[in-house]
Amino acid sequence: MIKPITNWRGFVLLPLSLFVVSCSWMGNDFRDRGNDYLLAEPIKPIVVPSKYNANSLEELYVVPTLQTDDFDLTEAFETPRPEALATSNFEESVKIQKLGAKRWILVNSPPSEVWPRIRNFLAANQVAVADSDAVAGTIDSAWLQFKDSPEVRDRYRVYVEQGVQPDSTEIHIRHDAANVSNAVVASDWPALSINPEREAWMLDELAATLASEASTGSTSLLAQGIGGGPKISVKMLAGEPVLRMALSYERARATIAHALRQQGFATFDLAIDDGIFYVGYEKPVNPDEESWYTRWFGGASDAVIPTTPYSLAELLANLQVPDSPETRAIFPGVKAFGSGKKLTEVPGYLIVVVATEAQVDIRIRDGYGNRLNKREAKEKLSIIRRNLI
C-alpha cells in the first residue's frame, strides 16, 4: 500500500535543491566577480634583456585636447538635453535660398551624400570635370560652348559646403566666361559670376535634378570632411554663452531675423543697422501635452502672443549696464550707459548681432541689457539655432 505524501514542502524543495547542486556540478558559478580585481597582487615589472630593442607603447586612440571655450568648468554640470531631430532625418528636401542677389541650393542631406550626386548630374549632362577638390568642396567644369554664343566659352565652379543645420548641404555656383582665344589660358575665378543668368540656369537645373531623384544613401569617402567644420556653434565668451556663426554679417542678420519669428519668438522692434532685435518669447503649445478638451474647445493652453509697452529706442536710451569697452562693442549705437532712468518691468530680450573679422557672435540679454543666467541663455540660443536657415 502506497502512503500518501503529507510533507509536500519537502517533496517540492528536494528537486530544487538537486537543481542548484547540479548547476555547480556542471561548472556554473554564479558568484559575483566584480570586485576580484581588489584581490590582485602586484607583480614585478617586465625587464627586457639588453640584447633586445625595447619600444614604449603608445596610445592607440589618442584623447583629443579638451576645448574649454564651449562651457564653463566652474559651473555645476548639467546633462544637456538632446538636440532636436533635423528634418533631414525624416524626409529629404531641396530648396533654393535667396539673400539679395545671392542664390544657393539647400539640401538637408550631408555633403558626403550630395557630392556624388552632383558628379552624377554633371556626367549625365556631358559636362566634363576639369578639376575636383573634395577637401575644399569645389568641382570645376571644363570650358563649355553654348549654341547661342559660339564665340564665347563658359565654365562653372560648384561649391559644396556644410549647411547651417546639422546634416545639411549648401551648393553655390559661380559662372565664368572668356573669348574662344582666351579660354584655353588658365585664369583665376572671378569674385562674382560673369553672367548671372547662366549661373541661375545651372543652379535651377541642378536643384531640379536633386529634387526629382531619390537619395540612395551612398556617400563619398573623399568628401567626409567636405565644406569645413560646422558653421554654427554655442561658445562661452568671457563667461557668457554666445551663438557663433561662420557666416557673413548680412546673412547672419537675415537668418537671425527669420529665427526670431519662429517657435515662440515674436519680434517687437529692431535696429537693423546696429544688429539689435527686441523680442518676446512664450513657450509654444505642445500638441502632445494638450488635453482632449483644449484640443477641441481651446482654453488655457492656447498660444499667448507676447507684447511690450516699450520701443527698442526707449530700451537703448535707458540701458542699465556699466560703461566698458565690452559694453560699447556689444551696443555700438548707444551713446551713454546707465545714465537713463530704469524702466519698470521690461519684458522680453535683446538679441545683439556683433561681427568680427572671422565670425559673427549672437548674444541674448534681458530688456535692461544685462546678462541672463547661463542656463536660460543657452536654452534660448539653442531654440534660435534650431530655426536658422
Side-chain angles (χ1 to χ4, degrees), residues 119 133 140:
R119 295 295 301 262
D133 187 343
D140 297 345

Side-chain angles (χ1 to χ4, degrees), residues 170-316:
E170 294 180 8
I171 307 171
H172 302 257
I173 292 180
R174 189 169 301 171
H175 169 266
D176 188 19
N179 294 328
V180 175
S181 58
N182 298 327
V184 294
V185 180
S187 60
D188 295 333
W189 284 88
L192 298 174
S193 291
I194 299 298
N195 189 329
E197 293 182 358
R198 291 279 165 87
E199 174 198 317
W201 171 81
M202 178 63 78
L203 191 79
D204 293 338
E205 289 294 320
L206 177 56
T209 300
L210 294 175
S212 63
E213 67 181 16
S215 174
T216 60
S218 61
T219 63
S220 170
L221 295 178
L222 294 176
Q224 290 294 328
I226 195 171
K231 292 183 176 180
I232 310 296
S233 59
V234 177
K235 303 288 186 180
M236 292 296 297
L237 191 60
E240 180 181 17
V242 173
L243 186 64
R244 177 157 290 180
M245 300 183 174
L247 300 173
S248 66
Y249 183 60
E250 180 186 17
R251 183 176 173 190
R253 288 189 310 183
T255 188
I256 283 292
H258 171 270
L260 295 179
R261 296 191 297 268
Q262 314 294 322
Q263 204 170 351
F265 281 100
T267 301
F268 297 143
D269 199 358
L270 58 90
I272 194 66
D273 292 336
D274 295 328
I276 302 177
F277 299 82
Y278 179 31
V279 303
Y281 177 78
E282 288 289 342
K283 184 178 180 181
V285 177
N286 185 352
D288 296 333
E289 297 177 356
E290 289 186 302
S291 65
W292 66 269
Y293 182 87
T294 55
R295 280 197 294 267
W296 279 90
F297 302 104
S301 64
D302 289 343
V304 177
I305 300 176
T307 59
T308 180
Y310 302 109
S311 67
L312 178 56
E314 289 179 280
L315 267 56
L316 296 179

Side-chain angles (χ1 to χ4, degrees), residues 268 278 307-310 315 342-348 366-368:
F268 297 143
Y278 179 31
T307 59
T308 180
Y310 302 109
L315 267 56
K342 184 175 181 179
L343 302 177
T344 305
E345 296 182 356
V346 177
D366 66 13
Y368 299 100

Side-chain angles (χ1 to χ4, degrees), residues 144-158:
L144 312 172
Q145 178 183 345
F146 285 89
K147 294 180 180 180
D148 58 351
S149 55
E151 73 285 355
V152 176
R153 296 293 182 267
D154 302 84
R155 62 175 180 169
Y156 290 93
R157 167 167 283 188
V158 182

